[in-house]
Amino acid sequence: MKNTIAPTTLKPMILRASLTSPYGRKVRIAAHVLGISDLINVVHADTLDPEDTVRVENPLGKLPTLLLSDGRSIFDSRTILEFFHDSVSSSMLLPSDPLGKALMRTQIALCDGITDASLLLVYEGRFRENTTYSDRWLSHQRGKIFRALDKVSNDLPPLSLAYGSSISLVCALGYLDWRQPVEWRIDYPKVADWLKQISILDPAVAATAIPT
């Protein structure tokens, strides 16, 4: 895909997210890549707060949720990225041909699956008592992460955030490094090197990193 940005008619939007949300980070990186960050006001959302309006804006109470200027909402991160792609550019984030787009979406789903499984591991520890942990469930989620990393290691996305799959992998690996539900770097040196290289090439990786 060519790294070009087309004109946009998008109006200012509100992104309900948090700086620690890996999926909110996906949207922030995409906005940076497409040059529309100045159109997006990030407003913190707390999914555990019953008084937070995110539960009205998105009945699922999930992040990220994008609020349009006319009051309508768009969610989840994959939908928001496709909305940005269709509104701003035909040559970034997703290919234009049907097969290329389907393959890219598949790789995005794979990388997002790493994040999903990581979140479930974290939630198991956060919302359950120690005596109720399910070792089988934890092993099931770890298996998803390692199988996905096996696949990714043999088919790494391009070293460019102009690709939706690259954005998704950056965010998945960033969340793994932050929450550390599994140790991955030793067994997947090619993936770790990919993350190092793309972090050097594009400042958006560091600019959107989860605060420590």
Side-chain angles (χ1 to χ4, degrees):
M1 292 184 293
K2 296 180 180 179
N3 192 353
T4 57
I5 300 175
T8 178
T9 58
L10 287 173
K11 297 180 180 179
M13 298 162 280
I14 293 173
L15 179 66
R16 300 304 313 279
S18 72
L19 296 182
T20 60
S21 166
Y23 293 120
R25 187 185 184 194
K26 278 180 59 179
V27 175
R28 291 188 291 124
I29 290 177
H32 173 87
V33 168
L34 295 175
I36 58 172
S37 293
D38 59 339
L39 295 176
I40 298 174
N41 179 26
V42 180
V43 177
H44 178 78
D46 183 351
T47 59
L48 297 180
D49 181 1
E51 302 302 318
D52 195 310
T53 57
V54 72
R55 297 188 179 195
V56 177
E57 297 149 356
N58 177 350
L60 300 175
K62 297 178 69 174
L63 308 180
T65 294
L66 186 71
L67 307 181
L68 304 181
S69 58
D70 62 6
R72 288 183 290 180
S73 302
I74 296 177
F75 47 86
D76 58 8
S77 64
R78 273 178 265 184
T79 304
I80 296 172
L81 259 64
E82 292 198 23
F83 170 65
F84 285 173
H85 165 82
D86 293 340
S87 300
V88 176
S89 170
S90 60
S91 59
M92 297 178 70
L93 302 186
L94 294 168
S96 57
D97 65 289
L99 179 57
K101 184 176 291 186
L103 292 172
M104 178 73 72
R105 284 171 170 163
T106 299
Q107 195 165 39
I108 289 171
L110 180 69
C111 297
D112 284 352
I114 296 173
T115 304
D116 289 342
S118 301
L119 284 164
L120 289 173
L121 287 172
V122 171
Y123 292 164
E124 184 78 4
R126 182 182 298 173
F127 294 109
R128 289 186 186 273
E129 300 296 333
N130 291 345
T131 55
T132 63
Y133 286 176
S134 169
D135 288 335
R136 183 181 181 187
W137 176 255
L138 294 172
S139 178
H140 183 57
Q141 302 309 322
R142 293 188 192 104
K144 293 179 185 179
I145 294 172
F146 293 135
R147 290 193 303 274
L149 287 172
D150 286 339
K151 175 68 174 176
V152 167
S153 185
N154 292 316
D155 186 21
L156 285 164
L159 281 168
S160 169
L161 293 180
Y163 296 77
S165 54
S166 301
I167 294 174
S168 293
L169 184 56
V170 163
C171 295
L173 299 178
Y175 191 76
L176 284 179
D177 279 343
W178 181 54
R179 286 298 192 188
Q180 300 181 341
V182 299
E183 170 55 56
W184 68 275
R185 284 180 168 270
I186 294 175
D187 292 332
Y188 299 96
K190 286 176 58 179
V191 182
D193 185 64
W194 180 91
L195 180 60
K196 178 181 178 180
Q197 293 301 318
I198 199 169
S199 300
I200 294 170
L201 291 170
D202 200 312
V205 177
T208 60
I210 296 174
T212 56

mmCIF file of all heavy atoms in Angstrom, residues 121 142 145-146 149 176-177 180-188 192:
data_model
loop_
_atom_site.group_PDB
_atom_site.id
_atom_site.type_symbol
_atom_site.label_atom_id
_atom_site.label_comp_id
_atom_site.label_asym_id
_atom_site.label_seq_id
_atom_site.Cartn_x
_atom_site.Cartn_y
_atom_site.Cartn_z
ATOM 1 N N LEU A 121 -6.788 -13.164 30.623
ATOM 2 C CA LEU A 121 -5.872 -13.601 31.672
ATOM 3 C C LEU A 121 -5.800 -12.574 32.799
ATOM 4 O O LEU A 121 -5.818 -12.923 33.986
ATOM 5 C CB LEU A 121 -4.474 -13.824 31.088
ATOM 6 C CG LEU A 121 -4.289 -15.061 30.208
ATOM 7 C CD1 LEU A 121 -2.903 -15.032 29.561
ATOM 8 C CD2 LEU A 121 -4.453 -16.336 31.022
ATOM 9 N N ARG A 142 -3.564 -18.845 27.349
ATOM 10 C CA ARG A 142 -2.138 -18.808 27.017
ATOM 11 C C ARG A 142 -1.881 -19.528 25.697
ATOM 12 O O ARG A 142 -1.045 -19.089 24.890
ATOM 13 C CB ARG A 142 -1.314 -19.452 28.135
ATOM 14 C CG ARG A 142 -1.327 -18.687 29.454
ATOM 15 C CD ARG A 142 -0.331 -19.283 30.428
ATOM 16 N NE ARG A 142 -0.536 -18.752 31.769
ATOM 17 C CZ ARG A 142 -1.125 -19.417 32.760
ATOM 18 N NH1 ARG A 142 -1.565 -20.656 32.556
ATOM 19 N NH2 ARG A 142 -1.278 -18.862 33.946
ATOM 20 N N ILE A 145 -2.495 -17.256 22.815
ATOM 21 C CA ILE A 145 -1.428 -16.273 22.633
ATOM 22 C C ILE A 145 -0.226 -16.900 21.932
ATOM 23 O O ILE A 145 0.303 -16.344 20.954
ATOM 24 C CB ILE A 145 -1.011 -15.683 23.995
ATOM 25 C CG1 ILE A 145 -2.158 -14.862 24.594
ATOM 26 C CG2 ILE A 145 0.245 -14.818 23.844
ATOM 27 C CD1 ILE A 145 -1.907 -14.395 26.019
ATOM 28 N N PHE A 146 0.203 -18.051 22.410
ATOM 29 C CA PHE A 146 1.405 -18.668 21.848
ATOM 30 C C PHE A 146 1.178 -19.174 20.425
ATOM 31 O O PHE A 146 2.068 -19.066 19.570
ATOM 32 C CB PHE A 146 1.892 -19.786 22.761
ATOM 33 C CG PHE A 146 2.395 -19.291 24.099
ATOM 34 C CD1 PHE A 146 2.025 -19.934 25.269
ATOM 35 C CD2 PHE A 146 3.215 -18.183 24.176
ATOM 36 C CE1 PHE A 146 2.484 -19.485 26.501
ATOM 37 C CE2 PHE A 146 3.672 -17.715 25.407
ATOM 38 C CZ PHE A 146 3.312 -18.358 26.567
ATOM 39 N N LEU A 149 1.281 -16.106 18.262
ATOM 40 C CA LEU A 149 2.647 -15.619 18.108
ATOM 41 C C LEU A 149 3.458 -16.525 17.186
ATOM 42 O O LEU A 149 4.316 -16.044 16.433
ATOM 43 C CB LEU A 149 3.320 -15.501 19.472
ATOM 44 C CG LEU A 149 2.846 -14.343 20.356
ATOM 45 C CD1 LEU A 149 3.445 -14.458 21.755
ATOM 46 C CD2 LEU A 149 3.205 -12.994 19.733
ATOM 47 N N LEU A 176 1.113 -6.952 26.108
ATOM 48 C CA LEU A 176 1.838 -8.074 26.704
ATOM 49 C C LEU A 176 3.002 -7.576 27.555
ATOM 50 O O LEU A 176 3.255 -8.096 28.653
ATOM 51 C CB LEU A 176 2.362 -9.010 25.619
ATOM 52 C CG LEU A 176 1.371 -9.944 24.923
ATOM 53 C CD1 LEU A 176 2.093 -10.777 23.869
ATOM 54 C CD2 LEU A 176 0.671 -10.863 25.924
ATOM 55 N N ASP A 177 3.719 -6.578 27.052
ATOM 56 C CA ASP A 177 4.857 -6.046 27.800
ATOM 57 C C ASP A 177 4.409 -5.332 29.065
ATOM 58 O O ASP A 177 5.103 -5.352 30.090
ATOM 59 C CB ASP A 177 5.663 -5.087 26.924
ATOM 60 C CG ASP A 177 6.624 -5.807 25.986
ATOM 61 O OD1 ASP A 177 6.909 -6.995 26.219
ATOM 62 O OD2 ASP A 177 7.084 -5.166 25.016
ATOM 63 N N GLN A 180 2.185 -8.232 31.231
ATOM 64 C CA GLN A 180 3.007 -9.431 31.380
ATOM 65 C C GLN A 180 2.215 -10.671 31.815
ATOM 66 O O GLN A 180 2.596 -11.356 32.772
ATOM 67 C CB GLN A 180 4.148 -9.152 32.368
ATOM 68 C CG GLN A 180 5.060 -8.023 31.926
ATOM 69 C CD GLN A 180 6.211 -7.763 32.879
ATOM 70 O OE1 GLN A 180 6.178 -8.155 34.035
ATOM 71 N NE2 GLN A 180 7.235 -7.084 32.398
ATOM 72 N N PRO A 181 1.113 -10.984 31.121
ATOM 73 C CA PRO A 181 0.382 -12.210 31.448
ATOM 74 C C PRO A 181 1.151 -13.460 31.049
ATOM 75 O O PRO A 181 0.892 -14.549 31.578
ATOM 76 C CB PRO A 181 -0.910 -12.067 30.642
ATOM 77 C CG PRO A 181 -0.503 -11.231 29.457
ATOM 78 C CD PRO A 181 0.510 -10.261 29.992
ATOM 79 N N VAL A 182 2.074 -13.313 30.085
ATOM 80 C CA VAL A 182 2.959 -14.403 29.674
ATOM 81 C C VAL A 182 4.328 -13.809 29.356
ATOM 82 O O VAL A 182 4.452 -12.615 29.090
ATOM 83 C CB VAL A 182 2.432 -15.161 28.429
ATOM 84 C CG1 VAL A 182 1.083 -15.809 28.700
ATOM 85 C CG2 VAL A 182 2.355 -14.233 27.218
ATOM 86 N N GLU A 183 5.341 -14.647 29.366
ATOM 87 C CA GLU A 183 6.674 -14.250 28.894
ATOM 88 C C GLU A 183 6.773 -14.647 27.429
ATOM 89 O O GLU A 183 6.615 -15.813 27.083
ATOM 90 C CB GLU A 183 7.753 -14.955 29.720
ATOM 91 C CG GLU A 183 9.153 -14.798 29.168
ATOM 92 C CD GLU A 183 9.572 -13.351 28.968
ATOM 93 O OE1 GLU A 183 9.517 -12.572 29.944
ATOM 94 O OE2 GLU A 183 9.931 -12.999 27.814
ATOM 95 N N TRP A 184 7.031 -13.685 26.553
ATOM 96 C CA TRP A 184 7.022 -13.982 25.116
ATOM 97 C C TRP A 184 8.316 -13.634 24.398
ATOM 98 O O TRP A 184 8.634 -14.215 23.354
ATOM 99 C CB TRP A 184 5.866 -13.227 24.446
ATOM 100 C CG TRP A 184 6.030 -11.732 24.420
ATOM 101 C CD1 TRP A 184 5.697 -10.855 25.406
ATOM 102 C CD2 TRP A 184 6.590 -10.943 23.367
ATOM 103 N NE1 TRP A 184 6.008 -9.561 25.039
ATOM 104 C CE2 TRP A 184 6.566 -9.585 23.791
ATOM 105 C CE3 TRP A 184 7.104 -11.248 22.106
ATOM 106 C CZ2 TRP A 184 7.027 -8.542 23.000
ATOM 107 C CZ3 TRP A 184 7.589 -10.205 21.314
ATOM 108 C CH2 TRP A 184 7.539 -8.874 21.769
ATOM 109 N N ARG A 185 9.079 -12.706 24.922
ATOM 110 C CA ARG A 185 10.207 -12.171 24.166
ATOM 111 C C ARG A 185 11.313 -13.201 23.918
ATOM 112 O O ARG A 185 11.912 -13.223 22.837
ATOM 113 C CB ARG A 185 10.782 -10.948 24.884
ATOM 114 C CG ARG A 185 9.916 -9.698 24.717
ATOM 115 C CD ARG A 185 10.510 -8.500 25.427
ATOM 116 N NE ARG A 185 9.830 -7.271 25.029
ATOM 117 C CZ ARG A 185 10.191 -6.515 24.006
ATOM 118 N NH1 ARG A 185 11.229 -6.869 23.269
ATOM 119 N NH2 ARG A 185 9.522 -5.421 23.709
ATOM 120 N N ILE A 186 11.595 -14.054 24.890
ATOM 121 C CA ILE A 186 12.682 -15.033 24.729
ATOM 122 C C ILE A 186 12.363 -16.034 23.618
ATOM 123 O O ILE A 186 13.223 -16.376 22.799
ATOM 124 C CB ILE A 186 12.935 -15.762 26.064
ATOM 125 C CG1 ILE A 186 13.477 -14.778 27.107
ATOM 126 C CG2 ILE A 186 13.915 -16.912 25.858
ATOM 127 C CD1 ILE A 186 13.652 -15.380 28.484
ATOM 128 N N ASP A 187 11.130 -16.506 23.575
ATOM 129 C CA ASP A 187 10.759 -17.530 22.598
ATOM 130 C C ASP A 187 10.422 -16.969 21.224
ATOM 131 O O ASP A 187 10.343 -17.733 20.251
ATOM 132 C CB ASP A 187 9.567 -18.337 23.124
ATOM 133 C CG ASP A 187 9.933 -19.196 24.324
ATOM 134 O OD1 ASP A 187 11.107 -19.589 24.423
ATOM 135 O OD2 ASP A 187 9.049 -19.461 25.160
ATOM 136 N N TYR A 188 10.220 -15.651 21.132
ATOM 137 C CA TYR A 188 9.831 -15.051 19.858
ATOM 138 C C TYR A 188 10.737 -13.867 19.527
ATOM 139 O O TYR A 188 10.287 -12.720 19.453
ATOM 140 C CB TYR A 188 8.356 -14.635 19.893
ATOM 141 C CG TYR A 188 7.435 -15.803 20.115
ATOM 142 C CD1 TYR A 188 6.978 -16.103 21.399
ATOM 143 C CD2 TYR A 188 7.060 -16.629 19.061
ATOM 144 C CE1 TYR A 188 6.151 -17.198 21.615
ATOM 145 C CE2 TYR A 188 6.239 -17.727 19.265
ATOM 146 C CZ TYR A 188 5.790 -18.004 20.548
ATOM 147 O OH TYR A 188 4.975 -19.100 20.754
ATOM 148 N N ALA A 192 9.992 -9.815 18.688
ATOM 149 C CA ALA A 192 10.554 -8.765 19.537
ATOM 150 C C ALA A 192 11.393 -7.787 18.712
ATOM 151 O O ALA A 192 11.332 -6.562 18.920
ATOM 152 C CB ALA A 192 11.402 -9.389 20.644
#
